[in-house]
Amino acid sequence: MRRHEQLSLEQPYIEHSHSKELATISQILSVHPAIAELVGQDLIRDVTFPHTGARGMSGDQVLRVLLLKQMNGFSYRELEFHLADSVTYRTFCRFGALEPTPTRATLAENLKKVRPETLEAIGATVIRYAAKTGVERGRKVRVDSTVVETNVHTPTDSSLLWDGVRVLTRLLKRANEPFGFRLYADHTRRAKRRMLAIQHTGSPSKRRAAYQDLLKVAAKTMGYAHRAIEYLAAFPQAQKLADELAHYAELLEQVIAQTRRRVLDGEKVPASEKLVSFFEPHTDIIRKDRRDTLYGHKVFLTGGASGLILDCTIEAGNPADATLALPMLERQKALYGRPPRQAALDGGFASKDNLRDAKELGIADVCFQKKRGLKVSEMTRSSWVYKRLRDFRAGIEGLISFLKRAFGLDRCTWRGAESFAVYVHASVLTANLLTLARHLSA
């Protein structure tokens, strides 16, 4: 079901500034019923008979619950409590006074069905509404990038090998209990001792010997996993377990290979070929400003004069900012049907080719924070305009800080590549709706 047309008993919002913001956001969502339809389609995507059975959460309710979760940084357990406890939150999420609120399991199940493409389309609808109401016309934009970290520990070769051994051993035990697979040995204690020895020894020869033994243990465990996969083929009900074993065995094989190349062969392994997490294998290695190494994904943001985030893209790998300058500006042209009149970008985007391409796109004034050999007269009409745009660009640093502090964009706690994209777009959408509501209320 996409929308519940009527509440069982409608409750008014209380008199509070946050309640007024939620009421305004609710009005924005209500005047765009297609938004609920988009989320509703995600909910029934894999359902065989979507119009039978008990009434579940509607697309409208799921989106509103997702906004509340990102706005407050609630866990699912906290979200369950506040929906049951708060009159304002129940009203905002369209749960009637006599209607039971969903459990945390139901909340997690429904929120995980929302696709990143859906949230991106909803975000574009919100930006077009902001243009229609005169809040943001997209004539003056600022572009920058940031890193959103995945929920992983700082990786080392030894810790990754240890992760692989313990995860595969845990799965092998699951193959033993119901299906009778016993052709394996538990090497987790030995693997952990070798990992700790590697981390704490100061002797290169002892470290190398510990690595060799840890690699031997990891290879043995991987061999057990391959035997278990063949054994489980005779049990149709064990297909999911066999798939998990195959997935983690493949990851462990990659870690073994990269460890041998780096530690035993002395080879420098490129960042693009490294695996840094067994649980978030999509994680990229991001070297920031030649100082910090971060683990996550690079996100490019375009901000407007109103404080809204007009566009958000998640890139694979660690692309140079300069390669994304023109694509980000072209996306603005596609969104508004015309290019912005002025654009301010971080110094990493600066190049003669990007300046030429931006001018050819129809942008009158282009400001790069660092000139990198470019003349002010080539970028803008005057030095005064350049200084104003340079100051304007600095504002996106505040927008990024706002997203990270208030909406959890510093670190994604959801698992999986698709969930990472949902988390990022949900954070941006929530921030935009709150900002737009404050503009409209003012």
Side-chain angles (χ1 to χ4, degrees), residues 11 154 311 382:
Q11 304 169 94
T154 302
D311 191 22
S382 66

Side-chain angles (χ1 to χ4, degrees), residues 87-145:
V87 173
T88 297
Y89 286 167
R90 289 170 64 92
T91 302
F92 175 74
C93 294
R94 300 294 180 88
F95 293 112
L98 303 180
E99 184 178 357
T101 53
T103 64
R104 63 190 178 95
T106 302
L107 292 169
E109 179 186 359
N110 283 275
L111 264 59
K112 288 295 183 180
K113 292 180 180 178
V114 182
R115 297 180 303 152
E117 297 83 2
T118 299
L119 293 178
E120 196 171 0
I122 294 171
T125 300
V126 170
I127 295 302
R128 284 191 288 268
Y129 181 72
K132 183 179 178 181
T133 54
V135 173
E136 176 59 68
R137 300 190 182 278
R139 301 297 287 168
K140 189 177 182 181
V141 301
R142 41 195 167 190
V143 182
D144 204 353
S145 66

